[in-house]
């Protein structure tokens, strides 16, 4: 395997792992997540994934990890759950931050009326993208498919498929999966997740979620680079590492 292919494969695996970690971070928290934050396992995985994705840990990445380590020290599962519920699960339309693409964009553009959570144009397109890539989400009746964690899980899947195509030397499959990644990033993830991270950084009362927002911005910057998107990720000053 040539050096160029080896580097691309490591990068695909690293980006997949970063997206998977963010999917875990923005899912409803449990004791396993709280333990992984407190004992450093989550950040250890993050740092290893950054090295895979970028070839090294930069000084900026090291500073970001140090800030997150302080925020994650002695994480309490109960506090995580209460803050998650306050930020994302408040009843009615007064939820501080919508964790779903369609209602988040509804509010962001100042649309009138209460947003729909299921079977919107956006959520159906997200479902279509996932189905075309062979991904079936099993909890669609309980959780909108365009949730922040479902979209991160799908991004992780797309990166992983690129990596597998590279591993077996299938150039056509690699191009197909890269096209899927670029389309989903430009049509969905990068349209709302940068602003979502900014709101989490601004409105969270808990250091853990502000740290997750910083990590989210870091990954989204790499996603923009990977897909050639032109977005102002680095302009989110409060999230910078």
């Amino acid at each position: 395997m040539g050096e160029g292919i080896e580097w691309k494969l490591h990068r695909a695996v690293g980006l997949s792992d970063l997206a998977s970690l963010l999917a875990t971070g923005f899912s409803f928290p449990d004791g396993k997540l709280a333990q992984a934050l407190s004992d450093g396992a989550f950040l250890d995985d993050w740092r290893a994934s950054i090295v895979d994705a970028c070839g090294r840990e930069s000084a900026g990445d090291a500073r970001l990890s140090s800030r997150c380590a302080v925020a994650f020290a002695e994480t309490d599962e109960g506090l995580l759950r209460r803050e998650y519920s306050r930020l994302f699960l408040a009843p009615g339309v007064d939820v501080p931050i919508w964790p779903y693409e369609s209602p988040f964009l509804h509010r962001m553009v100042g649309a009138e009326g209460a947003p729909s959570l299921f079977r919107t144009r956006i959520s159906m397109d997200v479902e279509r993208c996932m189905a075309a890539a062979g991904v079936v989400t099993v909890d669609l009746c309980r959780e909108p498919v365009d949730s922040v964690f479902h979209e991160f899980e799908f991004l992780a899947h797309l990166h992983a498929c690129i990596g597998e195509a590279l591993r077996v030397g299938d150039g056509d499959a690699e191009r197909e999966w890269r096209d899927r990644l670029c389309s989903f990033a430009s049509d969905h993830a990068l349209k709302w997740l940068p602003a979502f991270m900014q709101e989490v950084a601004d409105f969270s009362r808990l250091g853990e979620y502000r740290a997750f927002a910083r990590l989210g911005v870091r990954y989204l910057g790499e996603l923009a680079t990977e897909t050639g998107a032109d977005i102002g990720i680095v302009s989110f000053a409060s999230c910078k590492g």
Side-chain angles (χ1 to χ4, degrees), residues 31-101:
K32 184 177 179 181
L33 173 62
Q35 182 64 39
L37 296 179
S38 295
D39 65 18
F42 185 97
L43 267 182
D44 286 346
D45 288 345
W46 178 272
R47 297 179 75 173
S49 300
I50 281 288
V51 171
D52 277 338
C54 302
R56 65 186 181 90
E57 183 182 52
S58 69
D61 284 320
R63 288 193 297 271
L64 175 58
S65 294
S66 293
R67 292 183 68 183
C68 292
V70 173
F72 293 157
E74 300 181 4
T75 292
D76 179 86
E77 180 186 352
L79 289 178
L80 276 183
R81 289 189 169 198
R82 285 193 288 276
E83 181 66 350
Y84 189 96
S85 298
R86 185 188 73 83
L87 287 174
F88 308 126
L89 300 179
V93 297
D94 294 327
V95 56
I97 306 171
W98 284 110
Y100 314 113
E101 181 183 354

Side-chain angles (χ1 to χ4, degrees), residues 55 68 81 90 104 139 167 188:
C68 292
R81 289 189 169 198
F104 185 93
D139 60 350
R167 188 187 69 80
H188 292 286

Side-chain angles (χ1 to χ4, degrees), residues 5-211:
I5 299 297
E6 182 105 22
W7 154 244
K8 290 180 181 179
L9 176 55
H10 276 287
R11 180 163 173 79
V13 170
L15 290 173
S16 180
D17 289 344
L18 292 175
S20 183
L21 286 166
L22 288 167
T24 299
F26 284 104
S27 297
F28 190 75
D30 57 16
K32 184 177 179 181
L33 173 62
Q35 182 64 39
L37 296 179
S38 295
D39 65 18
F42 185 97
L43 267 182
D44 286 346
D45 288 345
W46 178 272
R47 297 179 75 173
S49 300
I50 281 288
V51 171
D52 277 338
C54 302
R56 65 186 181 90
E57 183 182 52
S58 69
D61 284 320
R63 288 193 297 271
L64 175 58
S65 294
S66 293
R67 292 183 68 183
C68 292
V70 173
F72 293 157
E74 300 181 4
T75 292
D76 179 86
E77 180 186 352
L79 289 178
L80 276 183
R81 289 189 169 198
R82 285 193 288 276
E83 181 66 350
Y84 189 96
S85 298
R86 185 188 73 83
L87 287 174
F88 308 126
L89 300 179
V93 297
D94 294 327
V95 56
I97 306 171
W98 284 110
Y100 314 113
E101 181 183 354
S102 187
F104 185 93
L105 291 176
H106 179 98
R107 177 182 287 173
M108 191 170 80
V109 302
E112 296 182 356
S116 298
L117 293 182
F118 295 93
R119 310 310 294 170
T120 67
R121 177 187 59 81
I122 289 174
S123 67
M124 287 190 290
D125 192 60
V126 170
E127 185 177 353
R128 178 193 62 77
C129 291
M130 292 181 176
V135 174
V136 178
T137 304
V138 298
D139 60 350
L140 293 183
C141 293
R142 297 183 293 108
E143 191 73 37
V145 69
D146 59 343
S147 72
V148 57
F149 50 88
H150 280 326
E151 292 203 9
F152 274 128
E153 287 170 350
F154 185 51
L155 289 165
H157 173 76
L158 294 176
H159 291 302
C161 288
I162 291 171
E164 178 60 16
L166 286 163
R167 188 187 69 80
V168 300
D170 190 335
D172 290 339
E174 181 196 351
R175 285 186 289 274
E176 178 183 346
W177 287 112
R178 287 194 185 278
D179 286 345
R180 292 184 189 277
L181 176 68
C182 289
S183 294
F184 189 76
S186 62
D187 293 345
H188 292 286
L190 294 177
K191 280 191 172 180
W192 76 289
L193 288 176
F196 172 87
M197 297 303 166
Q198 181 68 73
E199 291 196 8
V200 173
D202 288 344
F203 299 139
S204 179
R205 300 169 184 167
L206 203 63
E208 285 89 339
Y209 283 104
R210 293 193 296 274

